[in-house]
Amino acid sequence: MTVEDRAVDFFTQGYSCAQSVLAACAETIGLTEAQAIQLGSALGAGICGLRDTCGAVLAMVAVWGARFAPTTPMDAKTKANLYAQAQALVKSFDETYGTHNCKALLQQASIEKQAGVAPEARTAAYYAKRPCAKFVAFCAKAALQASF
């Protein structure tokens, strides 16, 4: 199973977009699936339901950072390079989907969601109208394909 398939599988089990990307990439970044799911628990729905930055995008950048960021304090040049590389990942998402803002992504699919609203029940209708599965697939793949 590809990392994209794994991410979509987690999403369709009811995990958030962020949890799905992190869980699909967990082994690569030295986490268990359970740890990854816990780590992403408040990042979904555009950062804890605020409909801001897409949780899948947040998870993509987190996975990338776990793969390439040094574990010691960085000099300014290294940090600037790290940021530039992570920004390129986000830009690739934006070029593909037009934005990385959760609310705007849902509006493109004619879904009007307000910030702070409780999560919806995960039903067949929920998944049928949501574009999020393609976002988690993209982000999981991009996080593991990117190199520093």
Side-chain angles (χ1 to χ4, degrees):
M1 184 180 277
T2 67
V3 70
E4 303 99 283
D5 292 337
R6 286 180 44 76
V8 170
D9 184 56
F10 280 111
F11 185 71
T12 58
Q13 288 179 48
Y15 292 105
S16 75
C17 49
Q19 289 173 308
S20 300
V21 172
L22 287 166
C25 299
E27 185 177 326
T28 301
I29 59 172
L31 297 175
T32 66
E33 286 178 2
Q35 289 169 323
I37 288 166
Q38 288 175 316
L39 182 64
S41 64
L43 298 177
I47 310 174
C48 62
L50 292 174
R51 303 296 176 204
D52 199 348
T53 300
C54 170
V57 172
L58 291 168
M60 172 181 68
V61 172
V63 168
W64 186 87
R67 290 179 60 217
F68 298 109
T71 57
T72 57
M74 297 178 279
D75 61 58
K77 183 177 179 181
T78 301
K79 186 177 269 191
N81 190 34
L82 180 77
Y83 283 3
Q85 296 294 318
Q87 288 169 12
L89 278 176
V90 176
K91 183 178 179 182
S92 70
F93 185 92
D94 288 351
E95 288 171 349
T96 303
Y97 299 111
T99 183
H100 59 270
N101 177 271
C102 176
K103 185 175 182 176
L105 290 164
L106 293 177
Q107 285 173 337
Q108 290 174 3
S110 300
I111 300 170
E112 294 296 326
K113 292 297 298 177
Q114 298 303 314
V117 178
E120 291 180 54
R122 300 295 175 102
T123 64
Y126 173 92
Y127 292 112
K129 69 181 177 179
R130 280 255 178 320
C132 305
K134 67 183 177 185
F135 305 148
V136 300
F138 178 99
C139 289
K141 181 178 180 181
L144 296 185
Q145 282 189 336
S147 60
F148 190 71

